[in-house]
Amino acid sequence: MVINTIIAIVTIMSETTTIQISKDTRDELKNIGKMGDDYNTVIRKLIHEHNCNKLIDEGDRLIREHRDEFVSIDDL
């Protein structure tokens, strides 16, 4: 049991990294997160938001480029 716990801790520790950020960036990350969030959670939220924004931008681009291919719902 103890060996399995040690292996689990070593595995978890080897899956994390340290990144350098300025104190200002750290403070902004604290403002984005909520009580109990760690930096990894806040960064994952930011990545999710970024990916959503990319999807919205791609949808807007497709609508602009293919506007003539769309049919109005009123015409159905």
Side-chain angles (χ1 to χ4, degrees), residues 52-70:
C52 288
N53 289 336
K54 280 178 39 179
L55 182 62
I56 291 168
D57 290 345
E58 180 65 10
D60 288 344
R61 183 190 67 77
L62 288 171
I63 290 170
R64 279 193 314 275
E65 291 178 5
H66 301 279
R67 184 168 300 280
D68 59 330
E69 298 173 32
F70 292 97

Side-chain angles (χ1 to χ4, degrees), residues 18-75:
T18 301
I19 58 172
Q20 299 287 323
I21 59 172
S22 69
K23 289 181 181 180
D24 289 340
T25 301
R26 181 201 60 202
D27 293 342
E28 288 187 53
L29 286 172
K30 285 181 182 179
N31 290 330
I32 292 171
K34 58 184 180 202
M35 185 64 76
D37 283 349
D38 59 15
Y39 289 121
N40 192 67
T41 301
V42 174
I43 292 169
R44 296 297 308 166
K45 287 178 184 179
L46 291 170
I47 291 169
H48 177 76
E49 183 175 337
H50 170 75
N51 289 337
C52 288
N53 289 336
K54 280 178 39 179
L55 182 62
I56 291 168
D57 290 345
E58 180 65 10
D60 288 344
R61 183 190 67 77
L62 288 171
I63 290 170
R64 279 193 314 275
E65 291 178 5
H66 301 279
R67 184 168 300 280
D68 59 330
E69 298 173 32
F70 292 97
V71 177
S72 170
I73 195 163
D74 296 330
D75 296 338

